[in-house]
C-alpha cells in the first residue's frame, strides 16, 4: 500500500518543462505533495521536480500521514479539502509531532476562516488555486529556506547551549508568554510541623498550562527577557489571594518573590489583593538571586513587615557563599535548599552543616523549613535534629488546592538505622 503511494516525481513529471534559471540548484529538498486531484499532483509534481525537488505524492491527508510515519520531508504542500483527512487536519497532525516542517496549504475556495485557522496552526503559506508554476516554485523555495534556517537555529542553540524556547523570536515569545499569564495557576505544596503533628502551611508555586513554558524557571526566564517579571509577580499574588479567600483555613502561605518584585509599588499597596492576607503570608526571597543592587532594601523590608508579612530566605545553601541576603533581610524563616537535604542519612558532611544551621537559627529565633525531602530516611534524620518544618515530595507534591498529608507522615519518626 505504501509502496504504491510513493512513486517518484519522475514517474509523473515531465523532464522537458522549461525552468526559470533562478530556481535551478535550489532543489534536493524533499517535498510531500498532497492532493486528491491526480491532475494537480502531476502538474505540481512536474513543476517542482523540474527545479530539482524530490517530490512524493499522496492522494489525501491520511496517505500523507502514513508516509510521514517513516519518512521526513523538508516541505509539505497540501490541498485543503480532500476526502479522508483534509489539509487543515493534516496540518494539525503534523504540528503535533513536528513544529518546524513548513506546510503550504492550497485551496480552490479561499475563505477568511480557513486562512485564519491555517495561520493559527502554523501554515507557512496559503495559496489559492489556480496556482501558477512561478508562485508554486517561489513558495516552495521560500519554505525550503525557512526549513534550512530552522535547522541552523537548532544548531546555533546547541552551540550556545540554550533551550528552544529561549532562542525563539521575540514575537513568538510574547504570544507564548501572554498565554502563560492567562493560564497561570497556583499549585500548593504542604509544609508540615512534625513536632506539632499538623500541616503548618503551603508553599504557593506557579504553574502554567502553556506547554511551551513548562516550568516556573522557563516562565521567569521568558519574563526576564521580555522585561515583564513584575506582571508575573502580580498575577501570582492575585491568584494566591483568590485561593485564600476561598479557603479561609488557618494555614500560612509561602509565596516566592522575584527580587524585582521588591521594586514593584503594587507589593506595598494596601489595596493590592494579597495585602489583606499579609498576616498569613511568608514571602520567600531566594538566596540564588542577587539583591545587592537594592540599596533601599532595609526600608522596603521594614515596610513589608509593617504590613504584616513575614520574610523567608529561600534555597539557603544553594546561592551565594556570602550571607548578605541573610543579614539584610533578617528573615523570620529560613528554607534549607534541597541539595543539602538530599541523602542526608548517608552523608555526614551534609548532616553536620544542616545541624549547625538548625542550631544557629534556633539561637536567633528563626524558624526553619527543610525543603525537598523525598524519603523517610531524610525525614527521620531531620526529626532527630529537631527540624521544626518539613516540605518535600515525601509529604506531598505541589497540587491544586490544599491537599492533606496522610496522618502517619505528620508524626515524628525514630531513625531505624
Ligand atoms: O526554589 P524553590 O524552593 O521555591 O523551589 C521549589 C521547587 O522545588 C518547586 O518547583 C517544587 O515543585 C520543587 N520541589 C518541591 N519538593 C520537592 C522534592 O521533594 N524534590 C524535588 N526534586 N523537587 C521538589
Ligand atoms: Mn520557594
Amino acid at each position: 500500500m505504501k509502496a504504491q503511494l510513493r512513486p517518484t516525481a519522475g514517474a509523473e513529471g515531465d523532464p522537458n518543462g522549461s525552468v526559470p534559471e533562478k530556481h535551478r540548484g535550489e532543489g534536493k529538498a524533499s517535498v510531500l505533495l498532497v492532493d486528491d486531484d491526480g491532475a494537480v499532483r502531476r502538474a505540481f509534481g512536474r513543476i517542482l521536480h523540474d527545479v530539482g525537488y524530490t517530490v512524493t505524492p499522496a492522494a489525501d491527508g491520511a496517505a500523507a500521514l502514513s508516509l510521514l510515519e517513516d519518512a521526513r520531508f523538508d516541505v509539505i504542500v497540501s490541498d485543503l479539502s480532500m476526502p479522508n483527512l483534509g489539509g487543515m487536519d493534516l496540518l494539525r497532525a503534523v504540528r503535533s509531532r513536528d513544529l518546524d516542517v513548513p506546510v503550504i496549504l492550497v485551496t480552490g475556495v479561499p475563505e477568511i476562516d480557513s486562512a485564519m485557522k491555517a495561520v493559527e496552526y502554523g501554515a507557512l503559506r496559503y495559496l489559492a488555486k489556480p496556482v501558477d508554476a512561478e508562485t508554486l516554485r517561489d513558495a516552495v523555495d521560500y519554505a525550503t529556506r525557512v526549513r534550512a534556517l530552522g535547522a541552523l537555529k537548532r544548531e546555533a542553540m546547541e552551540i550556545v547551549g540554550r533551550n528552544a524556547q529561549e532562542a525563539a523570536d521575540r514575537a513568538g515569545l510574547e504570544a507564548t508568554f501572554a498565554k502563560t499569564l492567562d493560564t497561570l495557576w497556583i499549585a500548593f505544596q504542604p509544609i508540615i510541623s512534625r513536632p506539632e503533628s499538623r500541616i503548618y502551611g503551603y508553599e504557593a508555586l506557579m504553574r502554567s498550562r502553556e506547554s511551551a513554558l513548562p516550568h516556573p524557571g522557563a516562565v521567569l526566564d521568558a519574563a526576564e527577557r521580555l522585561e515583564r517579571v513584575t506582571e508575573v509577580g502580580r498575577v501570582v499574588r492575585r491568584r494566591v489571594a483568590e485561593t485564600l479567600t476561598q479557603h479561609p483555613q488557618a494555614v500560612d502561605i509561602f509565596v516566592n518573590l522575584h527580587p524585582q518584585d521588591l521594586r514593584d509599588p503594587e507589593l506595598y499597596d494596601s489595596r493590592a489583593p494579597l495585602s489583606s492576607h499579609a498576616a498569613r503570608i511568608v514571602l520567600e526571597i531566594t538566596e540564588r538571586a542577587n539583591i545587592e543592587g537594592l540599596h533601599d532594601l532595609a526600608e522596603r523590608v521594614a515596610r513589608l513587615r509593617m504590613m504584616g508579612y513575614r520574610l523567608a530566605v529561600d534555597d539557603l545553601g544553594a546561592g551565594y557563599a556570602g550571607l548578605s541576603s541573610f543579614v539584610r533581610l533578617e528573615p523570620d524563616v529560613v528554607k534549607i535548599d534541597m541539595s543539602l537535604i538530599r541523602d542526608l542519612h548517608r552523608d555526614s558532611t551534609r548532616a553536620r552543616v544542616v545541624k549547625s544551621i538548625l542550631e544557629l537559627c534556633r539561637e536567633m529565633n528563626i524558624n526553619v523549613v527543610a525543603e525537598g525531602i523525598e524519603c523517610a530516611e531524610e525525614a527521620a534524620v531531620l526529626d532527630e535534629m529537631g527540624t521544626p518544618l518539613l516540605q518535600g515530595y515525601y509529604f506531598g507534591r505541589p497540587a491544586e488546592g490544599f491537599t492533606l498529608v496522610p496522618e502517619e507522615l505528620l508524626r515524628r519518626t525514630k531513625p531505624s538505622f
Side-chain angles (χ1 to χ4, degrees), residues 203-205 256 284 314-315 335 371 391:
E203 178 172 356
L205 294 157
N256 292 282
E284 299 187 7
D314 197 7
D315 309 314
K335 300 189 81 179
E371 277 194 309
Q391 177 184 357

Side-chain angles (χ1 to χ4, degrees), residues 57-78:
D60 55 41
L65 273 186
S66 88
L67 283 169
L68 281 162
E69 260 165 37
D70 36 36
R72 285 182 65 80
F73 298 92
D74 297 304
V75 180
I76 299 173
V77 178
S78 175

Side-chain angles (χ1 to χ4, degrees), residues 82-307:
M82 294 176 290
N84 237 341
L85 204 75
M88 202 66 73
D89 290 329
L90 173 64
L91 174 58
R92 288 178 67 170
V94 166
R95 279 292 167 265
S96 70
R97 53 182 97 166
D98 182 344
L99 292 172
D100 282 349
V101 61
V103 176
I104 298 165
L105 287 177
V106 185
T107 177
V109 233
E111 293 164 16
I112 194 78
D113 202 39
S114 54
M116 277 166 61
K117 264 214 190 95
V119 172
E120 185 187 336
Y121 297 143
L124 185 71
R125 284 282 158 86
Y126 186 78
L127 305 177
K129 284 181 191 172
V131 180
D132 63 52
E134 187 67 15
T135 306
L136 181 66
R137 281 191 293 255
D138 279 348
V140 175
D141 287 351
Y142 177 70
T144 315
R145 293 196 184 98
V146 168
R147 178 62 154 180
L149 196 63
L152 282 174
K153 252 174 72 173
R154 255 192 315 281
E155 210 177 307
M157 275 167 344
E158 271 158 34
I159 295 167
V160 189
R162 289 188 181 160
N163 68 30
Q165 192 48 52
E166 280 174 328
D169 59 291
R170 189 174 168 112
L173 191 59
E174 292 270 11
T176 306
F177 187 73
K179 271 195 250 162
T180 303
L181 280 192
D182 283 348
T183 61
L184 194 129
W185 62 283
I186 305 293
F188 291 92
Q189 184 177 32
I191 298 172
I192 66 167
S193 163
R194 281 182 138 187
E196 294 172 83
S197 296
R198 69 170 184 111
I199 294 178
Y200 177 84
Y202 292 86
E203 178 172 356
L205 294 157
M206 109 171 92
R207 296 287 183 267
S208 164
R209 302 192 204 280
E210 171 54 44
S211 55
L213 296 175
H215 56 88
V219 175
L220 285 173
D221 284 349
E224 278 172 13
R225 288 183 59 207
L226 298 172
E227 296 176 358
R228 294 175 68 177
V229 170
T230 303
E231 270 175 82
V232 177
R234 289 184 183 187
V235 173
V236 167
R237 295 197 296 277
R238 174 150 38 86
R239 295 258 188 281
V240 170
E242 282 162 11
T243 311
L244 287 185
T245 312
Q246 288 157 16
H247 298 267
Q249 286 118 301
V251 287
D252 288 350
I253 305 296
F254 291 64
V255 179
N256 292 282
L257 284 191
H258 188 282
Q260 241 165 275
D261 291 327
L262 287 168
R263 299 180 197 268
D264 181 7
E266 201 253 18
L267 181 65
Y268 307 91
D269 187 334
S270 59
R271 292 156 305 178
L274 200 59
S275 301
S276 59
H277 302 282
R280 287 173 63 188
I281 306 289
V282 181
L283 297 173
E284 299 187 7
I285 295 165
T286 178
E287 260 248 301
R288 290 173 211 270
N290 186 353
I291 51 171
E292 305 272 306
L294 269 170
H295 60 94
D296 54 354
L297 183 69
E299 200 187 309
R300 289 175 184 272
V301 163
R303 262 157 74 193
L304 291 171
R305 284 222 162 81
M306 287 216 317
M307 293 173 78

